[in-house]
Amino acid sequence: ADVAFAGSGSLLATCSRDRSVWLWEVDAADGDAECVAVLNGHQGDVKRLAWHPSREMLVSCSYDNTARVWEEQVAGAVDDWYSSSTLSAHSATVWSAAFSPSGAHLATVSADRALVIWSRAPGPPTAAGAAAGSKWAVAARDDARHTGAVLCVAW
């Protein structure tokens, strides 16, 4: 389980063994929090969360050997969060993820002893004009440096 604040300070994400990620909007004036979304999609416990440094984009890491990128799509008056990418380069639990300071890259680490660096390319616009989501591709991979599970990563 993990808790992470977005850079804006107005969103808080929590995750747990129930395979979900909850997003909370936090009122800076009184500290009250309201659940604005429950994100489902992982097939295993969700272990770690990381926010993009400048966008409302979240990555979740799971026992299901994947990391998922979640983004907000605004359509009319409805804010809706969706999984824009499932990152599947690991063969064991993904324990941690971290965005680069620019947000153009993402690092994931796993019980498979690998460090994977992902690069982001914006997806095409949808018919409604909203971004279709970011597509991530493996830019680099290192399987040889660690002799055991890699549990944490930071830029």
Side-chain angles (χ1 to χ4, degrees):
D2 195 17
V3 176
F5 269 101
S8 67
S10 64
L11 287 174
L12 174 70
T14 61
C15 64
S16 76
R17 295 182 66 190
D18 68 1
R19 303 177 180 180
S20 69
V21 176
W22 288 48
L23 297 180
W24 305 84
E25 193 168 64
V26 180
D27 184 337
D30 60 15
D32 284 346
E34 175 186 355
C35 180
V36 294
V38 178
L39 310 177
N40 293 295
H42 281 293
Q43 301 303 307
D45 300 3
V46 182
K47 304 313 291 176
R48 182 76 66 191
L49 303 165
W51 285 97
H52 187 277
S54 61
R55 294 180 53 191
E56 290 191 346
M57 177 187 292
L58 178 71
V59 64
S60 56
C61 304
S62 175
Y63 272 0
D64 67 8
N65 306 347
T66 70
R68 283 186 177 258
V69 178
W70 305 89
E71 297 186 69
E72 183 178 32
Q73 182 169 354
V74 179
V78 178
D79 294 341
D80 197 19
W81 285 82
Y82 68 103
S83 177
S84 62
S85 297
T86 300
L87 309 180
S88 302
H90 291 286
S91 61
T93 299
V94 179
W95 282 110
S96 184
F99 284 98
S100 66
S102 70
H105 300 296
L106 174 67
T108 57
V109 294
S110 170
D112 65 7
R113 303 185 322 235
L115 162 68
V116 177
I117 305 294
W118 304 82
S119 292
R120 180 171 64 93
T126 64
S134 300
K135 302 302 175 199
W136 295 84
V138 174
R141 181 183 182 97
D142 188 327
D143 297 280
R145 308 256 186 243
H146 292 280
T147 58
V150 187
L151 303 177
C152 191
V153 65
W155 284 92

